Amino acid sequence: MNVSDSTIENPTLTTWVWIDQADITAATPLNSLRPKPKFDPLQPVRQILDRLEVKDPELAHRLCQMIPSQCPFERDVKLFGRTLFHIPPLCKLNPLYEQVAYLRFRALCYLADECGEDISSYC
C-alpha cells in the first residue's frame, strides 16, 4: 500500500457563519473607529512649509545653501587613526525634518526643471 493512495488530494473546508448586525454595532461603536485628534503644536509650521512655493531662483538658491543635503551631525570620532565611537544622524529627531528636506527638494527641482540650472554643486 502506498501513502499517496490513502491521502486526499485537494482537501477543502467550507463553513457558514451567521453574524448578526446588532452584534457588530454593539461591539464596535463608531466613535472608537475614528482616530482621536492629537495635540500637535507644530502643525501650523508644517502646513506653512508644505504650502511654501518656490517660484524665485534667488529663494531657491538660498534654500539649497541653507538646508544641508546630509545631516551635519553624523560623524566618526577618531583618535590615533582608530574609531572611538560613531555619532548617528540626529536630523531625523527633528520634528520638522521631512518638511524641510522636502522644501529643499522642491527648490532643487525648481532650479533644475524651470530654470535649467546645474544643481550638482548642491548635491
Side-chain angles (χ1 to χ4, degrees):
M1 181 172 185
N2 194 350
V3 175
S4 62
D5 294 337
S6 62
T7 59
I8 301 171
E9 290 186 15
N10 293 324
T12 58
L13 179 63
T14 306
T15 61
W16 294 92
V17 178
W18 178 263
I19 299 176
D20 190 16
Q21 187 67 24
D23 292 339
I24 294 173
T25 56
T28 57
L30 293 177
N31 292 338
S32 67
L33 298 177
R34 292 187 191 127
K36 300 198 189 268
K38 298 178 187 176
F39 177 70
D40 188 10
L42 294 176
Q43 186 62 29
V45 178
R46 284 190 182 103
Q47 290 177 351
I48 290 171
L49 289 174
D50 285 338
R51 291 181 187 157
L52 186 65
E53 293 185 23
V54 182
K55 298 276 184 184
D56 181 31
E58 186 177 323
L59 173 65
H61 283 290
R62 197 172 308 133
L63 288 172
C64 292
Q65 290 171 352
M66 289 176 27
I67 303 170
S69 62
Q70 296 176 346
C71 185
F73 304 112
E74 179 181 21
R75 63 188 73 235
D76 289 328
V77 178
K78 295 184 178 186
L79 182 65
F80 301 118
R82 300 192 76 187
T83 303
L84 296 177
F85 56 92
H86 173 76
I87 300 173
L90 301 173
C91 292
K92 296 203 176 179
L93 297 177
N94 181 355
L96 300 174
Y97 171 77
E98 290 180 15
Q99 284 76 23
V100 172
Y102 185 57
L103 179 62
R104 183 178 195 277
F105 178 72
R106 288 194 316 251
L108 286 172
C109 288
Y110 174 77
L111 288 174
D113 296 339
E114 302 294 324
C115 300
E117 294 186 21
D118 181 29
I119 57 169
S120 61
S121 61
Y122 294 120
C123 296

